[in-house]
Amino acid sequence: MARSFKCIIVTAVVLVSLLGPEALAGPIFHDTFESDLSAWTGKSGGAHNGAIVPDPLGGAGNALTFTAVNSGGDIFTTGQAFSLSSGRLYRVSFDFLGLPGQVPGGSGGFAGLSQGYPGTHMWYYGTNTTSGAAPILIDDGQWHRYAYNFIAPAPVVGNTVRLMFEDFGYFGYGIPGDAFFDNVVFQVVPAPGAVVLAGLGSAIVGWLRRRKAV
Ligand SMILES: [Ca+2]
Ligand SMILES: [Ca+2]
């Protein structure tokens, strides 16, 4: 189990390394959580539990955390939802830090996409598998960068999306303020990157077919 999670992380890291920052278009959205949370709103457009705090590791700058656990999303990009172009490749990337030695379900950091606040939504990365999230966010007390790529329409959510984050309360467990996010970027991956990814996808499919054929 742990090995497959590592593979997913390694794949994401390899993709980022292959493409490099220069291969990516300017972000559709980004937030370094240095000043305020004016780009974000809560459930049904109301209050949220997001808070800007100094980097808990003592690094320069601030990060996002939560003052309470939640479910079904806590903080959502506000304003117009992002309108995606069918067939284009998109990437959501962010830094995540989970404090170790906590409760069942981990720190509860979850990242996803939603149509509304939340409306139809999906979780793609979390610290456990609730609601189908890939449980790859690591609670080791260190910052790690994660990336989620998808071709529009976004899985489940469609072509009109918001970014969504929370500190999830797992079956009654949950400690607020032990999950941190920073440097959230939402961007289009331009055609050359899409070609590289498509090539990789084809290679993986081909490998799987060969494996089956053997
Ligand atoms: Ca920051
Ligand atoms: Ca937590």
Side-chain angles (χ1 to χ4, degrees), residues 81-109:
F82 304 115
S83 187
L84 309 183
S85 301
S86 293
R88 295 205 76 169
L89 183 65
Y90 293 86
R91 172 178 304 166
V92 181
S93 55
F94 56 87
D95 297 327
F96 174 76
L97 159 65
L99 300 184
Q102 304 292 302
V103 294
S107 67

Side-chain angles (χ1 to χ4, degrees), residues 69 106-109 167-168 174-179:
V69 296
S107 67
D167 185 343
F168 178 52
I175 298 173
D178 57 355

Side-chain angles (χ1 to χ4, degrees), residues 32-34 61-63 182-183:
T32 57
F33 302 107
E34 291 307 304
N62 298 328
D182 202 359
N183 301 313

Side-chain angles (χ1 to χ4, degrees), residues 28-29 38-45 73 75-84 92 111-124 148 150 154-155 157-165 184 186:
I28 299 167
F29 174 87
S38 57
W40 303 84
T41 189
K43 256 183 208 170
S44 304
I75 196 168
F76 308 81
T77 47
T78 189
Q80 194 80 24
F82 304 115
S83 187
L84 309 183
V92 181
L113 298 171
S114 71
Q115 283 182 343
Y117 308 122
T120 302
H121 61 284
M122 60 163 288
W123 295 106
Y124 46 84
Y148 173 77
F150 65 91
V157 179
N159 266 354
T160 307
V161 304
R162 299 173 192 280
L163 307 185
M164 167 179 75
F165 294 89
V184 171
F186 183 44

Side-chain angles (χ1 to χ4, degrees), residues 48-53 64-70 74 167 175-179:
H48 61 74
N49 300 303
I52 290 178
V53 295
L64 167 70
T65 191
F66 297 88
T67 57
V69 296
N70 210 338
D74 192 293
D167 185 343
I175 298 173
D178 57 355

